[in-house]
Amino acid sequence: MLMDDMGWGDLGINGQPSKETPNLDNMAKEGTLFTDFYSANPLCSPSRAALLTGRLPIRNGFYTSNYHGHNGYTPQHIVGGIPDHEILVSELLSSAGYTNKLIGKWHLGQQEQYLPLKHGFHEWFGSPNCHFGPYDDKTTPNIPVYNNTEMVGRYYEEFAIESHKYLSNMTQYYIQEALDFIERMERNEKPFFLYWAPDATHSPVYSSPMFRGASRRGPYGDAVMELDYGVGVIIQKLKQLGLDKNTLVLFSSDNGAAMIGSAFENGSNGPFLCGKQTTFEGGIREPTIAWGPGFVQQGQVSHQVGSLMDWFATALDLASIAVPKDRIIDGVSLLPVLNGAAEFDRPIFHYRGNALFAVRFGLHKAHYWTWTNSWEEYNTGITFCRGEYLANVTTHEQVNRTLDPVVFQLGRDPGEKHPMKSSTSEYKDAVMTMNSIVEKHMETLKPGQPQFDWCDDSVMNWAPAGCEKLNKCLPIPKSNLQKCVWPH
Amino acid sequence: MLMDDMGWGDLGINGQPSKETPNLDNMAKEGTLFTDFYSANPLCSPSRAALLTGRLPIRNGFYTSNYHGHNGYTPQHIVGGIPDHEILVSELLSSAGYTNKLIGKWHLGQQEQYLPLKHGFHEWFGSPNCHFGPYDDKTTPNIPVYNNTEMVGRYYEEFAIESHKYLSNMTQYYIQEALDFIERMERNEKPFFLYWAPDATHSPVYSSPMFRGASRRGPYGDAVMELDYGVGVIIQKLKQLGLDKNTLVLFSSDNGAAMIGSAFENGSNGPFLCGKQTTFEGGIREPTIAWGPGFVQQGQVSHQVGSLMDWFATALDLASIAVPKDRIIDGVSLLPVLNGAAEFDRPIFHYRGNALFAVRFGLHKAHYWTWTNSWEEYNTGITFCRGEYLANVTTHEQVNRTLDPVVFQLGRDPGEKHPMKSSTSEYKDAVMTMNSIVEKHMETLKPGQPQFDWCDDSVMNWAPAGCEKLNKCLPIPKSNLQKCVWPH
């Protein structure tokens, strides 16, 4: 269960004062709550590609080389997508007899060769891109919704989103699809992998009329409540069918809560600095829960430093499938930790685009580059750190701190508010350790072919498979291949 | 149980990632967790005076008129203290047959006439002022520790505080005193009121060697763990003695976590803006739990907007004692809410010194004045909002916004990061409501005689009662009465 732009602070059990998540809070009580869990990137597409490949975006190609340290993703004019030579967890599970379904947002490329059913999924209900829009269908087509290999409509057309009213029934569809799939798999006695990826908490946020107005936070909180409801009924279904004993359920989010929209549409990063797009904790620390009475200790709070990429290795471990040996896999299996084994130290590398910005190891985090967004962008009112300003940390220039990293001790300073004094021995020791970790990392690093360098309006969702049957094909414009522009 | 400078975000159940408070988290599960509970002031002495009198500091005199909107408190050279004509909850409970004990910090004035045994308490173990120091005993004496009416030693002398090592056994003494008192009361079958006010989380923070190094946050987290341990054993004692059925236990803090010290010594205000000294949520929102199987709904999360002053009225309600009729009492009984009754709307007035800075009503909060601290002070490195800067909100001048208040909707924006646009009807409605609430409040307001205007070195703890027996009397210098200086 991968949420979209949901923040660490949005769970009741992580302190959200509006208490919108009774089912998730209960899931944590029945399973393991991770306090120190990271996305693989502060942005959606790279984070999702890393989840499914177990590899950093710099390796699987989900970055841009057009700029130093700029984020990229997969809007519908992107030419790139998930390369064929990347091995997805869905492909490995498929080979081992699992039936796999994606429900929700894909975001690994919208051209035909990149779609989920070409990459190990047997079923898919959802969309290849974000639910932005409505578009005019002349310069930009509305995003299609697929059922397996064919489109069944488009957002703002057959699949209504009333973004000014924050209304849409998509989450209800995604819940129903999940319940149907689980029931079907249980009837057929088939092992299954469900990748449930609703996007209601991504701007423009939405909920169904049943939940609209239900929270104290407005549309964003309403969306959280509906997703929490979904989590509740899905887990209830597993229990009803007796699947709770042999099913592992993982809940997390693709990156930190966004800070760019209005207060109505932004989640909470709890005590953490800044949000989505940044490598500060608010951009990458995720609300994360593992549940499964058969595999997961109940009521455990784990401070294990983890990454979305670990779920790749954990799933394979659970299914007794070997991890690919011909490439570097960044994720590690957390199955022992879920079982109650001791936590272990390991580094987490925080990239922004093609640049290593920060590293966490133990309770220390070193920033080798600092940047929020450019002065130019900031002066237009766009900020990723609203209400937060820390001299020499939340900088509006890219500042190279390789020789004197900014280091925080996250145990006593989770909010990254107190840079350690460089004169202390704790700082010097931490930097020495970090530097040697980075050196080792860099020695083995072979960046993948960058997928976010080229854009072309002709690759947009003009005429997705199935459009003929629905009479929904749009004329494809001439190719205008050009380097993608990534402002931050 | 009133903590000192503990922040809302320091409880595990409120999201502290270090999870140092298993006993408090459990107390919340067995009782009612308040998410929207306020101190009566962003500073210690006024907040404590308000707790015990049920009245705003502007009424009970715990403010200064030397400046507009500056905080004051009771350092040991303060001339003022709690006036005799103020009625304390201890006095009313005493008249009704209760035996009352204060364990820990008093802070309502250190001159003899102001001490707890003159104001309704029968027993006291603790100190009249903060555990600052060590002093040189020539220009400033170390703070005494009292046992009832007489001093039994001084901090940094008989009662060691190794502030550079963050070590002291005071919390253990306070725990033992509490257990002894409760056992004694139970044996005598006497109704009792215990005001447990340890100060280990106030800078210089400390814990006993048993807890030193136990947390992931350093000395502050260690102090929290020891206090949590204390809460646990006190509640366990009540259960053992069968007193859990007829005892109400309230846990809160006197103001938000300080942001002025080092990261080692500061707590967490969770998602809230700024800290102690300010009327932003970080300065006044408190971690608050009510427990008592006989009176308090189990497992309730209450969004009731509450104030420390409410415990005055709640305690009297529980003891069937009438609230004084001859004066305005700002607190209201929360007994029905504890029992599960519906939450109700009521305004909370946030003063800084003699000035009304902000009002909360419903989910809205209006700031009529904005200020953090002066540029002069800020430029020396002192900040109450470290890492946070919000234009026109966290101002370094006192800005009068009476005609165009800054309004936040705390349900969707608990962190006060998104001022509402003044063009919206929601803003206009909120301001109209707030203005009429303020007008009504001001009509009835008769400020008390200000207690923080005058300071004098001769009133310090040179020769407290009992000093002769211990040979601990210090020579009293000449009086040098002067207006107190309050920089912020």
Side-chain angles (χ1 to χ4, degrees), chain B residues 78-343:
Chain B
I78 198 84
V79 172
I82 188 72
D84 268 340
H85 55 77
E86 286 297 322
I87 303 173
L88 275 64
V89 67
S90 43
E91 294 170 321
L92 293 166
L93 289 170
S94 178
S95 305
Y98 280 72
T99 302
N100 308 325
K101 177 161 196 158
L102 163 62
I103 298 173
K105 178 163 141 182
W106 175 237
H107 233 198
L108 266 60
Q110 83 296 335
Q111 293 201 75
E112 205 174 336
Q113 67 272 30
Y114 300 130
L115 294 180
L117 269 59
K118 305 275 186 184
H119 292 269
F121 286 93
H122 304 95
E123 303 183 15
W124 175 33
F125 180 81
S127 61
N129 307 87
C130 272
H131 59 282
F132 295 140
Y135 296 114
D136 61 8
D137 275 358
K138 293 182 186 74
T139 57
T140 305
N142 277 322
I143 303 296
V145 174
Y146 278 79
N147 190 19
N148 300 322
T149 52
E150 295 194 345
M151 74 176 280
V152 287
R154 292 186 193 268
Y155 285 141
Y156 302 95
E157 299 173 18
E158 292 75 13
F159 293 88
I161 298 177
E162 296 181 68
S163 54
H164 57 296
K165 292 186 181 167
Y166 308 102
L167 281 170
S168 167
N169 292 322
M170 290 309 297
T171 301
Q172 289 300 320
Y173 298 155
Y174 292 151
I175 293 170
Q176 202 49 55
E177 285 283 328
L179 300 178
D180 291 349
F181 177 69
I182 291 168
E183 282 178 355
R184 204 152 29 85
M185 292 302 105
E186 194 272 336
R187 274 201 304 275
N188 299 350
E189 299 184 9
K190 298 264 280 183
F192 67 91
F193 164 46
L194 169 59
Y195 176 27
W196 196 61
D199 57 2
T201 42
H202 187 295
S203 176
V205 302
Y206 61 75
S207 55
S208 65
M210 187 161 66
F211 284 89
R212 187 68 192 92
S215 83
R216 303 203 313 159
R217 279 202 287 175
Y220 183 89
D222 298 346
V224 171
M225 286 187 80
E226 187 161 22
L227 292 166
D228 176 76
Y229 165 81
V231 169
V233 296
I234 289 171
I235 285 192
Q236 195 181 10
K237 177 64 65 185
L238 292 174
K239 287 177 176 174
Q240 275 170 5
L241 300 175
L243 295 176
D244 51 327
K245 286 159 205 70
N246 60 352
T247 306
L248 174 63
V249 184
L250 304 167
F251 176 93
S252 199
S253 178
D254 63 347
N255 44 245
M259 293 200 152
I260 197 173
S262 82
F264 294 99
E265 302 208 26
N266 284 172
S268 164
N269 291 316
F272 301 120
L273 187 65
C274 300
K276 178 179 176 180
Q277 301 278 5
T278 78
T279 48
F280 299 108
E281 293 292 295
I284 51 182
R285 187 84 76 99
E286 303 308 326
T288 302
I289 303 168
W291 181 95
F295 320 99
V296 183
Q297 277 231 333
Q298 297 213 8
Q300 186 179 206
V301 174
S302 176
H303 299 302
Q304 174 65 48
V305 174
S307 159
L308 282 183
M309 298 182 290
D310 295 343
W311 298 142
F312 175 92
T314 304
L316 296 182
D317 193 1
L318 191 61
S320 302
I321 302 168
V323 167
K325 295 275 181 295
D326 63 340
R327 61 197 68 204
I328 288 177
I329 301 293
D330 295 285
V332 295
S333 172
L334 297 182
L335 205 51
V337 171
L338 295 180
N339 275 315
E343 296 164 8

